[in-house]
Amino acid sequence: MATQSSGKVSIAQRFDNYQPSKTVLVWACFITVIATIVVGFNWGGWVTGGSSRALSVTAGDTARGELASAICVQRFNAAPDAATKLTELKAIPDSYRKRQFIEAGGWATMPGQTSADSRVAEGCSTALAV
């Protein structure tokens, strides 16, 4: 017998008998979309197109600077008097003067450029001073 004497309906029966309205379904979908967006951008690692472009430009600049510094170090070490120049460089206490030393030696001037890049010279002097 399927009758209940107490008149109470179980949760499972209420769930089976529930018929949501269109308004409830639309709001549930809207809230789900908003929750997905919030979770995706905050914890899912999603980024906007502008953020992605900014990150790629920064990564490109960093990689270009590291490559130019590596070229500078290689050019410095290939010089005939590299050991003497390295001793002179390490004797300079100020990082600004170290950068000037690298720039004056011409090692931080990249092919196709007429002047040295100060960021390249800074990275080169840091790498050589280690």
Side-chain angles (χ1 to χ4, degrees):
M1 293 199 163
T3 61
Q4 290 182 333
S5 60
S6 65
K8 291 185 178 180
V9 179
S10 72
I11 292 176
Q13 288 174 336
R14 287 193 319 195
F15 184 76
D16 287 340
N17 294 334
Y18 180 69
Q19 295 291 323
S21 67
K22 289 179 184 177
T23 305
V24 170
L25 287 175
V26 168
W27 277 107
C29 289
F30 179 73
I31 291 170
T32 302
V33 166
I34 296 300
T36 301
I37 290 171
V38 168
V39 169
F41 278 104
N42 285 326
W43 300 288
W46 299 357
V47 292
T48 62
S51 297
S52 176
R53 278 189 290 281
L55 289 171
S56 68
V57 166
T58 301
D61 289 344
T62 301
R64 193 174 310 112
E66 289 174 359
L67 178 61
S69 294
I71 291 170
C72 175
V73 169
Q74 188 274 331
R75 291 173 69 189
F76 183 92
N77 288 330
D81 56 349
T84 307
K85 294 292 185 184
L86 185 59
T87 305
E88 289 178 37
L89 178 68
K90 288 186 176 184
I92 300 172
D94 184 18
S95 64
Y96 177 74
R97 288 197 178 122
K98 285 182 181 181
R99 190 181 80 210
Q100 285 181 327
F101 181 79
I102 296 292
E103 289 175 358
W107 301 293
T109 303
M110 293 295 109
Q113 293 183 343
T114 57
S115 63
D117 185 353
S118 62
R119 290 180 293 173
V120 173
E122 182 78 29
C124 185
S125 66
T126 302
L128 289 168
V130 175

